[in-house]
PDB file of all heavy atoms in Angstrom:
ATOM      1  N   TRP A 392      23.620 152.245-117.799  1.00 98.00           N
ATOM      2  CA  TRP A 392      23.725 152.906-116.492  1.00 98.00           C
ATOM      3  C   TRP A 392      23.530 151.894-115.385  1.00 98.00           C
ATOM      4  O   TRP A 392      22.475 151.266-115.270  1.00 98.00           O
ATOM      5  CB  TRP A 392      22.710 154.040-116.400  1.00 98.00           C
ATOM      6  CG  TRP A 392      23.110 155.170-117.313  1.00 98.00           C
ATOM      7  CD1 TRP A 392      22.963 155.222-118.665  1.00 98.00           C
ATOM      8  CD2 TRP A 392      23.779 156.362-116.931  1.00 98.00           C
ATOM      9  NE1 TRP A 392      23.503 156.386-119.153  1.00 98.00           N
ATOM     10  CE2 TRP A 392      24.007 157.107-118.111  1.00 98.00           C
ATOM     11  CE3 TRP A 392      24.191 156.888-115.705  1.00 98.00           C
ATOM     12  CZ2 TRP A 392      24.635 158.351-118.104  1.00 98.00           C
ATOM     13  CZ3 TRP A 392      24.821 158.123-115.691  1.00 98.00           C
ATOM     14  CH2 TRP A 392      25.050 158.845-116.874  1.00 98.00           C
ATOM     15  N   SER A 393      24.569 151.732-114.565  1.00 98.00           N
ATOM     16  CA  SER A 393      24.542 150.811-113.436  1.00 98.00           C
ATOM     17  C   SER A 393      25.684 151.171-112.489  1.00 98.00           C
ATOM     18  O   SER A 393      26.757 151.610-112.928  1.00 98.00           O
ATOM     19  CB  SER A 393      24.701 149.361-113.916  1.00 98.00           C
ATOM     20  OG  SER A 393      24.896 148.480-112.830  1.00 98.00           O
ATOM     21  N   GLU A 394      25.470 150.969-111.195  1.00 98.00           N
ATOM     22  CA  GLU A 394      26.539 151.176-110.216  1.00 98.00           C
ATOM     23  C   GLU A 394      27.476 149.973-110.154  1.00 98.00           C
ATOM     24  O   GLU A 394      28.536 150.050-109.537  1.00 98.00           O
ATOM     25  CB  GLU A 394      25.930 151.447-108.838  1.00 98.00           C
ATOM     26  CG  GLU A 394      25.160 152.755-108.739  1.00 98.00           C
ATOM     27  CD  GLU A 394      26.048 153.978-108.814  1.00 98.00           C
ATOM     28  OE1 GLU A 394      26.374 154.416-109.956  1.00 98.00           O
ATOM     29  OE2 GLU A 394      26.426 154.509-107.763  1.00 98.00           O
ATOM     30  N   ASP A 395      27.087 148.869-110.776  1.00 98.00           N
ATOM     31  CA  ASP A 395      27.899 147.664-110.803  1.00 98.00           C
ATOM     32  C   ASP A 395      28.708 147.647-112.106  1.00 98.00           C
ATOM     33  O   ASP A 395      28.228 147.186-113.150  1.00 98.00           O
ATOM     34  CB  ASP A 395      26.991 146.432-110.712  1.00 98.00           C
ATOM     35  CG  ASP A 395      27.770 145.123-110.592  1.00 98.00           C
ATOM     36  OD1 ASP A 395      28.945 145.091-110.989  1.00 98.00           O
ATOM     37  OD2 ASP A 395      27.175 144.131-110.130  1.00 98.00           O
ATOM     38  N   MET A 396      29.935 148.136-112.043  1.00 98.00           N
ATOM     39  CA  MET A 396      30.741 148.288-113.249  1.00 98.00           C
ATOM     40  C   MET A 396      31.079 146.946-113.891  1.00 98.00           C
ATOM     41  O   MET A 396      31.120 146.829-115.121  1.00 98.00           O
ATOM     42  CB  MET A 396      32.026 149.048-112.916  1.00 98.00           C
ATOM     43  CG  MET A 396      32.854 149.433-114.131  1.00 98.00           C
ATOM     44  SD  MET A 396      31.961 150.536-115.274  1.00 98.00           S
ATOM     45  CE  MET A 396      31.919 152.052-114.297  1.00 98.00           C
ATOM     46  N   GLU A 397      31.307 145.932-113.075  1.00 98.00           N
ATOM     47  CA  GLU A 397      31.632 144.617-113.624  1.00 98.00           C
ATOM     48  C   GLU A 397      30.452 144.069-114.428  1.00 98.00           C
ATOM     49  O   GLU A 397      30.629 143.542-115.531  1.00 98.00           O
ATOM     50  CB  GLU A 397      31.993 143.655-112.493  1.00 98.00           C
ATOM     51  CG  GLU A 397      32.439 142.286-112.984  1.00 98.00           C
ATOM     52  CD  GLU A 397      32.876 141.369-111.850  1.00 98.00           C
ATOM     53  OE1 GLU A 397      33.049 141.862-110.709  1.00 98.00           O
ATOM     54  OE2 GLU A 397      33.040 140.149-112.103  1.00 98.00           O
ATOM     55  N   LYS A 398      29.260 144.206-113.879  1.00 98.00           N
ATOM     56  CA  LYS A 398      28.071 143.743-114.593  1.00 98.00           C
ATOM     57  C   LYS A 398      27.851 144.561-115.866  1.00 98.00           C
ATOM     58  O   LYS A 398      27.569 143.994-116.933  1.00 98.00           O
ATOM     59  CB  LYS A 398      26.849 143.870-113.683  1.00 98.00           C
ATOM     60  CG  LYS A 398      25.534 143.497-114.378  1.00 98.00           C
ATOM     61  CD  LYS A 398      24.359 143.569-113.424  1.00 98.00           C
ATOM     62  CE  LYS A 398      24.011 144.989-113.019  1.00 98.00           C
ATOM     63  NZ  LYS A 398      22.795 145.059-112.183  1.00 98.00           N
ATOM     64  N   ALA A 399      27.978 145.886-115.771  1.00 98.00           N
ATOM     65  CA  ALA A 399      27.768 146.752-116.935  1.00 98.00           C
ATOM     66  C   ALA A 399      28.772 146.436-118.041  1.00 98.00           C
ATOM     67  O   ALA A 399      28.423 146.429-119.227  1.00 98.00           O
ATOM     68  CB  ALA A 399      27.862 148.210-116.520  1.00 98.00           C
ATOM     69  N   SER A 400      30.013 146.155-117.653  1.00 98.00           N
ATOM     70  CA  SER A 400      31.040 145.825-118.646  1.00 98.00           C
ATOM     71  C   SER A 400      30.706 144.518-119.358  1.00 98.00           C
ATOM     72  O   SER A 400      30.904 144.390-120.571  1.00 98.00           O
ATOM     73  CB  SER A 400      32.406 145.724-117.976  1.00 98.00           C
ATOM     74  OG  SER A 400      32.803 146.969-117.444  1.00 98.00           O
ATOM     75  N   ALA A 401      30.200 143.554-118.604  1.00 98.00           N
ATOM     76  CA  ALA A 401      29.818 142.278-119.211  1.00 98.00           C
ATOM     77  C   ALA A 401      28.649 142.459-120.173  1.00 98.00           C
ATOM     78  O   ALA A 401      28.631 141.896-121.274  1.00 98.00           O
ATOM     79  CB  ALA A 401      29.453 141.279-118.113  1.00 98.00           C
TER      80      ALA A 401
END
Side-chain angles (χ1 to χ4, degrees):
W392 290 77
S393 170
E394 294 291 84
D395 186 338
M396 188 61 70
E397 184 176 348
K398 176 177 70 175
S400 296

